Amino acid sequence: MLLSILPLLLLAAPVWAYEGVEVENAGSLTGRVRLEGQPPAAVVTEVHKNVSVCGTTVEDRTFVVGEGGALANVVVYLAAVGVGRPIDLEAIGELDNRECRFEPHVQSLTVGQKIEIKNSDPVLHNTRTEVLGGGIGNRINLAMARAGTTIRKPIRYPGIHRLRCDAGHTWMNAYLLVFEHPYHVVTGTDGTFELDEVPPGEYTLMTWHEKLGTSETKIGVKAGELVEVPAIVLKQSQ
Ligand SMILES: [Cu+2]
């Protein structure tokens, strides 16, 4: 009996775990993500369902670009951090179905946190996650028929999740990136980011964008210092 259970236990054990500690002599990182060149024109989808709520057209939000090429909706994170500040398990991500869009378009959370999914519209929406690039993922498949409904779901697995709505709103999409450590943040319309309470050491600072993929920057963090990361310029492939 024991022998038959053992392989399952081994599979269920985490391959790599994060340890939250009080970080002494922590440093911080700050910087800005920029898009090189003009962004492509937004894709406009004609709407033929729930037009009174959704409108007649919807523009996609793949490239949200501010002044000087500042790029929003980029997840900036440290690769493979094993020890650092504790994970805030009380933090709750929010995902609203509003005017037939997911808000926000991109967010990041840490394993152990929760996400609160809300329907603000008086129409049926369904929030379903697809795990990109393999892995177990944190699968969600949640239909919400009434306006004002909220449901919380625990976030259990790391990965890149694309969110879709199966209720006939083919244009609805968003991304949820889940990490095992707390060193991740999403850029706003000014393209800036900051990561605090980073233990001194050498790191790989990563960026992820839904169309541009990932970039890597090697960076050193020293005790008590605020490191200004050189501008991260993301290029569009042809
Ligand atoms: Cu929907």
Side-chain angles (χ1 to χ4, degrees), residues 8-171:
L8 288 175
L9 290 176
L10 288 174
L11 279 174
V15 176
W16 177 81
Y18 176 76
E19 186 187 359
V21 296
E22 195 172 319
V23 180
E24 291 178 11
N25 304 316
S28 302
L29 291 166
T30 184
R32 187 164 174 256
V33 182
R34 203 157 58 77
L35 179 73
E36 187 180 77
Q38 288 296 311
V43 176
V44 179
T45 304
E46 278 188 36
V47 174
H48 300 288
K49 186 170 184 187
N50 304 128
V51 173
S52 63
V53 175
C54 305
T56 53
T57 59
V58 179
E59 278 190 16
D60 89 293
R61 292 178 181 171
T62 303
F63 289 97
V64 177
V65 180
E67 221 172 287
L71 188 58
N73 291 332
V74 177
V75 183
V76 181
Y77 60 99
L78 297 178
V81 184
V83 179
R85 70 175 160 90
I87 296 164
D88 179 4
L89 295 175
E90 302 302 314
I92 296 170
E94 291 180 4
L95 180 78
D96 197 359
N97 291 258
R98 178 179 286 275
E99 295 177 358
C100 306
R101 289 179 171 282
F102 289 119
E103 299 281 359
H105 181 55
V106 177
Q107 68 180 296
S108 62
L109 287 171
T110 304
V111 170
Q113 294 178 329
K114 292 188 176 69
I115 189 165
E116 184 168 278
I117 302 171
K118 181 179 181 185
N119 183 5
S120 292
D121 292 338
V123 299
L124 172 70
H125 287 299
N126 181 72
T127 303
R128 178 173 57 82
T129 57
E130 298 171 337
V131 185
L132 304 185
I136 301 170
N138 204 96
R139 293 193 175 87
I140 293 171
N141 191 353
L142 185 62
M144 303 175 93
R146 293 204 192 108
T149 316
T150 58
I151 293 175
R152 285 183 184 179
K153 291 277 186 186
I155 296 297
R156 293 200 176 96
Y157 301 101
I160 301 172
H161 305 84
R162 186 165 66 159
L163 308 174
R164 306 302 298 262
C165 173
D166 295 325
H169 309 133
T170 54
W171 61 88

Side-chain angles (χ1 to χ4, degrees), residues 177-224:
L177 270 66
V178 179
F179 296 88
E180 289 180 273
H181 62 73
Y183 298 105
H184 51 81
V185 67
V186 182
T187 59
T189 50
D190 64 357
T192 62
F193 64 85
E194 189 169 341
L195 293 169
D196 296 321
E197 293 180 70
V198 181
E202 298 297 315
Y203 294 95
T204 303
L205 182 72
M206 306 282 299
T207 67
W208 176 93
H209 179 271
E210 62 180 283
K211 270 288 181 309
L212 305 175
T214 56
S215 81
E216 290 184 24
T217 307
K218 298 288 181 195
I219 205 85
V221 175
K222 288 184 183 148

